[in-house]
Amino acid sequence: MTEQTPSTPPGDRRNDRIDDGIGTYDVVLLVEQTLSASDAAQVHSLHDTIADQVVYHVLLPLEDAASRIEASLGTMGAGDMMGSPAMAMEDIDLDAVREDCRDRAGESLQHTLSALRATGAEAVGEVTAAPPVDALAAKVKAVDAAEAIILTRPHLVAEFFHVDWSSRARRRIGVPVLHLLERETFDEQAGGGEGVTGV
């Protein structure tokens, strides 16, 4: 009699059931900024009936230093820009801005992981310089995720034209994608016409 090979290799944390307490339920979480404690609790509430260990794989996009400089310059008055644009650009240390972006992203990631862990979930994460949807698709495949959640600030124009992260992710990956708005409860999102944009 030949010995049958188990369908799940020893030490593999995944299996097909989520109600037996064996293995993990992997969720890739793409966030724009630091996750608040209330956001983390709200995200985890979506999975609190799952017996398997929920593992969040957090992706935080690295802010582009050039875009940050452009945004900062854009907030200056037109008179200031017209008076001394060359001097304003010369005063900017792009390497220092890049380093600051990396430092801020690292801090945001650690705060986000701490907020998720405080809910009882397991959370790991990384700052990514790749395009957000590309990073999301790659991570979903790498960890064989069961679903993906994207938390963003509202982007009305992008969502209207279906070019936001969630719309692009739904076209790219083969798992459910849930879009939530940061710092809004489920009730607020459902009542405002923005909110949850599908699973």
Side-chain angles (χ1 to χ4, degrees), residues 13-14 24-31 54-60 109 113 116 122-126 136 139-140 142-149:
R13 302 176 69 198
R14 288 293 308 270
T24 62
Y25 185 86
D26 295 274
V27 179
V28 178
L29 189 58
L30 176 63
V31 300
V54 176
V55 181
Y56 294 106
H57 302 268
V58 179
L59 294 172
L60 178 72
L109 178 63
L113 295 178
L116 287 166
E122 185 176 328
V124 295
E126 63 187 273
L136 178 69
K139 182 59 71 173
V140 164
V143 302
D144 192 21
E147 65 178 277
I149 298 176

Side-chain angles (χ1 to χ4, degrees), residues 64-85:
D64 179 63
S67 297
R68 183 171 168 195
I69 290 170
E70 285 177 18
S72 297
L73 291 176
T75 61
M76 299 173 75
D80 294 337
M81 283 298 291
M82 296 302 289
S84 57

Side-chain angles (χ1 to χ4, degrees), residues 107-184:
E107 288 176 15
S108 291
L109 178 63
Q110 290 310 311
H111 287 304
T112 295
L113 295 178
S114 295
L116 287 166
R117 289 169 183 157
T119 70
E122 185 176 328
V124 295
E126 63 187 273
V127 174
T128 177
V133 175
D134 292 349
L136 178 69
K139 182 59 71 173
V140 164
K141 183 176 181 181
V143 302
D144 192 21
E147 65 178 277
I149 298 176
I150 299 173
L151 276 98
T152 65
R153 295 177 295 251
H155 297 285
L156 296 178
V157 175
E159 289 178 6
F160 179 76
F161 291 108
H162 303 287
V163 294
D164 62 295
W165 290 353
S166 301
S167 297
R168 287 185 287 154
R170 287 187 190 101
R171 294 193 292 265
R172 285 278 304 275
I173 63 178
V175 299
V177 177
L178 177 64
H179 180 196
L180 300 175
L181 298 180
E182 294 173 342
R183 292 162 176 72
E184 288 191 15

Side-chain angles (χ1 to χ4, degrees), residues 3-8:
E3 186 177 347
Q4 289 187 335
T5 304
S7 58
T8 304

